[in-house]
Amino acid sequence: MSELSAGNGTPRVGVYVCHCGTNISATIDVVAAQQAAETLPGVVISREYKYMCSDPGQEIIKKDIHDLDLNRVVVASCSPCLHEETFRKAVADGGLNPYYFQMVNIREHAAWVHKDMAAATAKANDLIRAAVRRVRLHQPLEARRVPVDPNVMVVGGGIAGIHAALTMADAGKHVYLVEREPSIGGHMAMFDKTFPTLDCAACILTPKMTRVRAHPNIETMTMSEVTAVDGFVGNYTVTVRHNPRFIIEDACVGCLECIDACVFRNGKTQDEFNLGLSKRKPIYIPFPQAVPQVVLIDPAGCIEFRTGKCKKTCVEVCAERNAIDFQQEATTEDITVGAVIVATGFETFDATRLPRYGYGNLDGVYTALEVERLVNASGPTDGEIVLRNGRKPEAIGVIHCIGSRDKNTNEYCSRVCCMYSLKLSHLLKEKTDAEIYEFYIDMRTAGKGFEEFYNRVAEEGIHFIRGKVADVYPEAGNPDKLVLQAEDTLAGMVRQIPVDMVVLATGLEPRQDAEDVRRTFNITCSGGGFFMERHPKLAPVSTFTDGVFLAGACQGPKDIPDTVAQAGAAAAEALALIDAGFIELEPNTAFVVEENCSGCKTCVGLCPFNSISYADGKAQINEVLCKGCGTCVAACPSGAIRQNLFDDDEIFEEIAGVLTNA
Amino acid sequence: MLEVTEDRGAAPEEFEPTIAAFFCNWCTYLAADLAGTSRMKYAPNARVIRVMCSGRIDPQFVFDAFAKGADGVLIGGCHPGDCHYQEGNYKALRRYRLTKRVLDALGVEPERFRLEWISAAEADRLRDVMNEMAAQIKALGPADFSVPDETFPGTDPGLDATAEEAVVS
Amino acid sequence: MREYDYYPGCSLKGTGKPYEESLLAVFDALGARVDELEDWNCCGATAYMAVDELEAVALATRNLALAEQSGRDLLTPCNACWLVLNKTAGRLSNDTGLHNLVCTALESTCTVPRGEEAAPLTYTGSVSVRHPLDVLINDIGVDAITAKVTNPLQGITVAPYYGCQIVRPLSPFDNQDNPVTMDSLLGATGCTVLEDYPFKTRCCGASQMMTMPDVGLDLVSMLLADAAARGADIVAVACPLCQFNLEAYQGRLSGGNGEPVEMPILYFTQLIGLALGIDKKTLGLGRSFVNPERALAGRSLDE
Amino acid sequence: MATEVMVRSESDRDVEFAAWFTGLVGEQKLRACIHCGLCSGSCPLARHMDFGPRKLMYLAREGFADDVLGSDTIWLCTSCYACTVSCPQQIPVTDVMYALKRKAIESGKAPKHHPVPVMAKSFAKMVRRRGRMTEVFLIAGLALRSGIHRYLGMTGMGLNALRTGRVSLRRDSIKRHDELTRLLDAVAAHREKVTRP
């Protein structure tokens, strides 16, 4: 193969080994690696430098290209995910085709994961040698440009999705907001007050919800779910299923007369919004401020659905508006968008998984979210703190870290529980004047105004006990009293405290179906099951799938301020993508060398993107459709398909390079 | 608490296997990156060669690696259903099975050739696989399937012979 | 016919005698054969582990090896023995080095009779150590017991007390936080089972009752006072140590109202035996320190 | 009246002991205690202990060997495993207690005449020789070695046990006790193979 000389002469390679401060040089003898590279065939210059990615580092490359007439460049530093673009650009600025470059990952793949310097250095040498051998075969390539669809989709209508949708809609983009529940609002709509300012959640959320509904650029789809995503960055086709609410949304005016008219005089079904602390009818609105202000029918409870023999008083009262449609069925719709923001939120930890705390078994035990509803003026008790047994609590225990900071459940800290526990203690104290005991492990109040709030609550006379409750059991002979047993680690003694009400500060978990969502959008999950950002510091709202961004607690536990900030960031990233109008794709497409193609059609069926066609006895690859996986290249029996950037010869050289010392 | 160490006898000169590792760009390569950022420590025996998808891995790569002196070959791809290109990893699995059969026939011990699904989040799994494979191959001893470089197809980079020799030596 | 090897443990030959008597009688009545393990030794309990770990493992291993000879499951009624043997079996199967060390020593020092000969004692790791609660629930079944009940214990409220080592740290056959196997078995006898007994898995004090009686008494008094306050007539147990601790010093306890505590502590096997119509003497009821007659007679009054 | 000095200097720390202790459980788990107090909170005996498991393990981690090995906390542990199954860091607290018990006996720092170590030792001795434990002899031995006054209150119970036939006055022994002793000697001889950090 003689491509090497095609227009670029004999390879003249420059090798640059980075110290990365001491990140690499602490484990790899960088100078030895640099010296070893010097001896490799084709290498004209080999240098080591403190920070290759810095401006001076890049300048060295540019200068060497010019002064030493380099035509290939190898940088051994960090992961290509981090700086491949940086160095390609430096190479291009130096006057070379940017693909005459190969990066060697000696930081993440060597320096950071090994202890023995000799072994790590040997590994670095092998990897550098492979890159040098490979880069000599590199071809000049051009990035592919594809246009971007200007519409965007936001999946999830909690505060993250709402804020992202509004930001992008205000910038003039058409936004599809997809929400599975009958109303947008998410968890925030269920909260009473928000820490640390104690703003009423509804007061700050509802205006945003109404604005979403009214915005000309936002199409809100409630009771809707994404079932499939096809395409790629800039050109996604998203399949959305609209589940039936059995109400014609446009015809319903939200008068709620049908609910009064329902044949059920009282609700029989546990109200989802109040977490089962109250009952609702089969025709209902999730909560008073729901958006859209449209009722829905739950077929599981509706007599018409169950027997077909209901008087249908709801239909009667709806009269000429005729908004009720028992025949409604699920529909699906394909929507094309350029970018997607995933804002699917979180779930609270299921406290029944820790039987020691008695949730679901002892009536006096509540989850924090239930208490949010209890203290809420429009909640099941109109804001009165009345226990399930009808009594008012005189002593209350709040237990932190339920399902958090515990390797038996979730190892991570859920971040919001300390603060919301303080908030609930404050609200409960205000409403009941009960003795309140907060059992915490560490009080984590890092946030603007958080520590000040902690101080304020402490001054209100809440007892803070440093120690996690080990046992909750009813007092013998007085089952209304629950005894909390914990080590008071500061006092160094075990305490037993009888209370009337126990509040479990349950942690935040990924949604049950996060795994399905992850697959649908082809994104990854981090260890705890939350969606994984592209880089924890530098790309916190991007994913490894271009054009798919993250906002809110689906990426990890976070409070409302952080969620809103992240939603804004995700919206900005999506806007930047769309407003560029086009995107550049890696030129790693496959192509057919016609004279070698035997026309066996092996490749045609293999391509998941239908980019291979067959005409005149030969296979043809549509470069626009090809995504560069290389499956056809590996499969072609006559070696007629080749792949830019990952050609057989290049990989064979890499293999030879890493194994030369083997 | 109680750990029993087996008698190993006098330690022979430590053999350090070389493992050629083909990792897909989207899952296993990223898992290796994550292992790095998490500062996990594992055996330094693998040399990673990045491909976009495990479906790109041609059985010839595997044979070539053994021929060039690899003591083991590891393929890392996304979990079934998670392929960035929809189903490249299924293709990889099919080819892996075929390749494995050929290698078995050639007398290559099964521990020397592995396919592992390791997602971008599973850095700990990557570490474990790296350690386990290195230990297993260490116990097996060096592989001896290598043939002189130039006799194998597809390795001629079109360089002049002296440069090539310099690289090999 | 179901067959089991039986590992009594030291206590069932002493203070725990009624447990052995009632267990054997009940298994016999239910048509299961139980053969005492030949030449078994002490399991090591918690005390040996506090002195020497390796020797403690070896002690338990010899029993496992003896049990492996028959290929039958090893019925182990004492909670402490059950845990020691199970934990050791688990450690040996997870730690090849430990297994090799102990089993090599075993083979070279210990024998087992084979006919007239004595064969070296080996252990491969195939023994299943099982508690009677597990066997009765899963092998024999509550239905089979119910079918044979001739003398239902109606009108008696029984608090099921499991103790600790049967659910912690292992819980292969029951719910660790809220075990229910004894509840189900007692339910079959017709008695009222106290469902709401939060201390059912709290420690009874184990050997502390012997070494530091004040500490043991403190724990026991809480358990008994709570059971009594919740209306229990009898506390049922599944471990000789629990039984002894709960019963032995009741004379030195006083209830909340100053009255002396008098709470019969019976093995669950004794209660099942009564329901199956087995006579009290066979079940070892006469060996109780706290006479259960009054509590049991409460039932006859109702009849 | 003299006051107890509550200051500990760095020289009071036994660094070797701390290293031994943290090496007891793999991956330095014992250093990862977050002091949530679930072990002491769930411990039924904590109300009688000088330190309780959390504080004891903390003192050990810091190397205060004398406080740890001389404490009664380790001897009050009955191995009920409530702490072990509770620990959010999955520290096998009960097994750690066993290791501390052995260390205390080995180092001779266990409280003198404390009935629990005395009992453990006589238990092991009896079992080592005869293969079985006979309750009455164990208690008798215990009473002799740790002070008979503690056990006077047991007489009533003892009479009860005699009356109901729940006590055997015959020393129980297994048939092949010689084999058992040889087994224990054999594993004990291998002890150096066991890495005790």
Side-chain angles (χ1 to χ4, degrees), chain A residues 1 4 11 23 39-41 79-81 84 88 102 105 107-116 119-120 122-124 126-127 129 133-134 136-137 230 515 518-519 522 524-527 532 534-535 544-546 586 588 605-609 627-636 643 646-649 651-656 658-662, chain B residues 18-20 22-23 25-62 64-66 68-71 79-88 91 94-95 119-122 130 149 152-160 163-164 166-169:
Chain A
M1 267 154 261
L4 272 184
N23 278 307
T39 66
L40 296 172
S79 169
C81 295
E84 192 170 48
R88 276 184 182 164
Q102 178 69 15
N105 185 347
R107 193 179 73 172
E108 284 83 348
H109 286 196
W112 278 350
V113 288
H114 304 316
K115 284 183 256 186
D116 178 50
K123 180 171 177 177
D126 287 352
L127 294 172
R129 186 186 316 108
R133 289 185 68 150
R134 173 197 224 278
R136 296 181 305 181
L137 303 186
D230 207 5
E515 183 63 18
R518 180 185 73 70
R519 288 206 167 165
N522 210 331
T524 19
C525 283
S526 319
M532 188 164 162
R534 192 179 190 113
H535 190 279
F544 287 106
T545 302
D546 290 328
E586 280 276 285
N588 55 12
L606 278 181
C607 179
F609 309 105
K627 303 265 178 61
C629 65
T631 301
C632 58
V633 191
C636 179
Q643 185 184 8
F646 291 93
D647 202 19
D648 276 355
D649 291 347
I651 295 170
F652 280 126
E653 276 306 297
E654 241 183 304
I655 297 172
V658 293
L659 294 172
T660 297
N661 279 350
Chain B
T18 308
I19 299 167
F22 297 93
F23 286 174
N25 182 61
W26 303 100
C27 288
T28 315
Y29 193 88
L30 294 179
D33 275 6
L34 181 62
T37 44
S38 316
R39 307 299 201 275
M40 290 175 177
K41 302 294 175 212
Y42 58 79
N45 306 73
R47 306 284 181 267
V48 175
I49 294 169
R50 182 170 68 114
V51 287
M52 293 309 286
C53 175
S54 53
R56 173 67 184 90
I57 296 159
D58 190 325
Q60 283 203 62
F61 297 168
V62 179
D64 189 46
F66 279 117
K68 293 218 172 81
D71 300 298
H79 284 269
D82 285 359
C83 178
H84 194 78
Y85 305 102
Q86 295 178 13
E87 48 197 25
K91 310 282 180 344
R94 216 184 298 161
R95 282 184 204 130
S119 82
E122 293 175 320
M130 290 284 203
D149 196 359
F152 220 81
T155 54
D156 174 13
L159 298 173
D160 60 83
E164 186 59 32
V167 176
V168 173
S169 57

Side-chain angles (χ1 to χ4, degrees), chain C:
Chain C
M1 191 185 204
R2 294 190 180 274
E3 298 181 354
Y4 301 91
D5 276 354
Y6 162 54
Y7 179 84
C10 306
S11 290
L12 268 74
K13 296 296 177 188
T15 48
K17 213 165 199 157
Y19 196 7
E20 173 168 76
E21 289 166 335
S22 56
L23 179 86
L24 297 178
V26 164
F27 270 68
D28 187 46
L30 293 171
R33 183 176 154 170
V34 171
D35 294 314
E36 186 169 323
L37 190 64
E38 190 271 336
D39 206 37
W40 58 269
N41 57 264
C42 167
C43 70
T46 54
Y48 214 114
M49 188 54 82
V51 177
D52 192 297
E53 187 171 18
L54 205 48
E55 291 186 25
V57 170
L59 273 177
T61 309
R62 181 172 177 274
N63 291 317
L64 295 171
L66 289 170
E68 198 173 53
Q69 307 304 315
S70 72
R72 300 190 288 201
D73 289 357
L74 186 61
L75 185 66
T76 310
C78 167
N79 286 5
C81 300
W82 176 87
L83 178 63
V84 167
L85 295 182
N86 257 316
K87 232 185 144 192
T88 306
R91 285 181 70 173
L92 293 178
S93 68
N94 289 330
D95 185 344
T96 329
L98 184 65
H99 183 278
N100 292 345
L101 190 158
V102 175
C103 294
T104 310
L106 187 72
E107 219 174 315
S108 61
T109 55
C110 295
T111 61
V112 60
R114 190 149 304 149
E116 297 298 300
E117 306 285 298
L121 187 55
T122 56
Y123 180 60
T124 63
S126 64
V127 169
S128 185
V129 181
R130 302 184 61 195
H131 195 275
L133 284 173
D134 171 19
V135 169
L136 287 173
I137 284 278
N138 293 313
D139 291 8
I140 290 166
V142 173
D143 292 344
I145 298 170
T146 315
K148 293 202 170 167
V149 167
T150 55
N151 182 28
L153 308 179
Q154 270 143 10
I156 312 174
T157 303
V158 180
Y161 177 72
Y162 292 78
C164 48
Q165 297 200 334
I166 196 156
V167 284
R168 289 189 302 263
L170 313 170
S171 49
F173 64 88
D174 213 334
N175 181 321
Q176 183 164 75
D177 298 286
N178 184 24
V180 290
T181 47
M182 203 197 306
D183 296 51
S184 313
L185 291 169
L186 292 173
T189 69
C191 70
T192 306
V193 183
L194 192 66
E195 276 178 27
D196 188 20
Y197 184 38
F199 292 145
K200 60 160 83 163
T201 64
R202 182 173 287 206
C203 177
C204 68
S207 54
Q208 299 297 8
M209 190 62 88
M210 203 167 22
T211 46
M212 305 187 77
D214 295 346
V215 173
L217 284 170
D218 179 34
L219 294 179
V220 164
S221 68
M222 280 196 299
L223 302 177
L224 291 177
D226 192 72
R230 288 168 201 279
D233 303 315
I234 291 173
V235 174
V237 295
C239 169
L241 217 54
C242 300
Q243 199 281 338
F244 182 81
N245 286 347
L246 291 181
E247 186 185 46
Y249 298 103
Q250 283 191 17
R252 286 169 58 183
L253 300 174
S254 63
N257 49 6
E259 293 283 303
V261 177
E262 204 181 322
M263 175 71 74
I265 314 293
L266 296 183
Y267 292 102
F268 75 104
T269 43
Q270 290 179 303
L271 290 164
I272 294 175
L274 282 171
L276 296 178
I278 302 171
D279 68 275
K280 290 177 180 170
K281 185 157 187 292
T282 311
L283 294 171
L285 278 170
R287 300 189 192 275
S288 306
F289 297 171
V290 178
N291 193 334
E293 287 302 331
R294 195 146 50 129
L296 291 169
R299 174 182 59 99
S300 13
L301 288 178
D302 290 347
E303 272 172 3

Side-chain angles (χ1 to χ4, degrees), chain A residues 510-645:
Chain A
R511 289 254 178 214
Q512 294 276 310
D513 59 355
E515 183 63 18
D516 300 333
V517 176
R518 180 185 73 70
R519 288 206 167 165
T520 306
F521 290 97
N522 210 331
I523 55 182
T524 19
C525 283
S526 319
F530 291 101
F531 299 142
M532 188 164 162
E533 63 286 343
R534 192 179 190 113
H535 190 279
K537 281 113 191 168
L538 303 177
V541 297
S542 306
T543 64
F544 287 106
T545 302
D546 290 328
V548 176
F549 302 99
L550 302 174
C554 66
Q555 180 260 345
K558 52 179 66 70
D559 59 18
I560 296 169
D562 285 3
T563 296
V564 171
Q566 201 192 21
E573 296 272 358
L575 288 172
L577 171 72
I578 289 168
D579 279 348
F582 66 88
I583 39 151
E584 288 200 337
L585 299 179
E586 280 276 285
N588 55 12
T589 45
F591 58 95
V592 179
V593 181
E594 253 192 39
E595 60 267 31
N596 294 345
C597 175
S598 63
C600 71
K601 297 194 217 172
T602 303
C603 54
V604 177
L606 278 181
C607 179
F609 309 105
N610 297 320
S611 67
I612 309 182
S613 56
Y614 179 76
D616 304 329
K618 304 283 179 192
Q620 283 179 340
I621 295 178
N622 180 343
E623 205 202 22
V624 177
L625 296 178
C626 175
K627 303 265 178 61
C629 65
T631 301
C632 58
V633 191
C636 179
S638 39
I641 308 184
R642 303 183 49 188
Q643 185 184 8
N644 289 322
L645 283 177

Side-chain angles (χ1 to χ4, degrees), chain A residues 349-356 408-410 509, chain C residues 177:
Chain A
F349 176 80
D350 173 10
T352 59
R353 282 169 57 195
L354 291 174
R356 69 167 73 225
N408 301 303
T409 53
N410 296 309
E509 282 194 331
Chain C
D177 298 286

Side-chain angles (χ1 to χ4, degrees), chain C residues 207-208 210-213, chain D residues 75 111-122 142-143 145-147 150-151:
Chain C
S207 54
Q208 299 297 8
M210 203 167 22
T211 46
M212 305 187 77
Chain D
W75 298 111
K112 298 274 174 286
H113 308 297
H114 192 288
V116 185
V118 167
M119 196 279 285
K121 280 187 277 188
S122 20
L142 178 64
R145 284 184 198 85
S146 67
R150 288 174 197 267
Y151 301 96

Side-chain angles (χ1 to χ4, degrees), chain A residues 357 359 362-368 370-371 387-388 393 395-399 402 439 469 472 482-484 497 499-505:
Chain A
Y357 297 114
Y359 180 72
L362 303 171
D363 274 350
V365 183
Y366 292 79
T367 65
E370 287 173 340
V371 179
L387 300 178
R388 290 190 182 95
I396 302 171
V398 181
I399 309 175
I402 301 296
F439 296 87
V469 170
V472 177
L482 300 174
V483 180
L484 304 183
I497 299 173
V499 296
D500 307 291
M501 179 187 198
V502 177
V503 182
L504 301 180

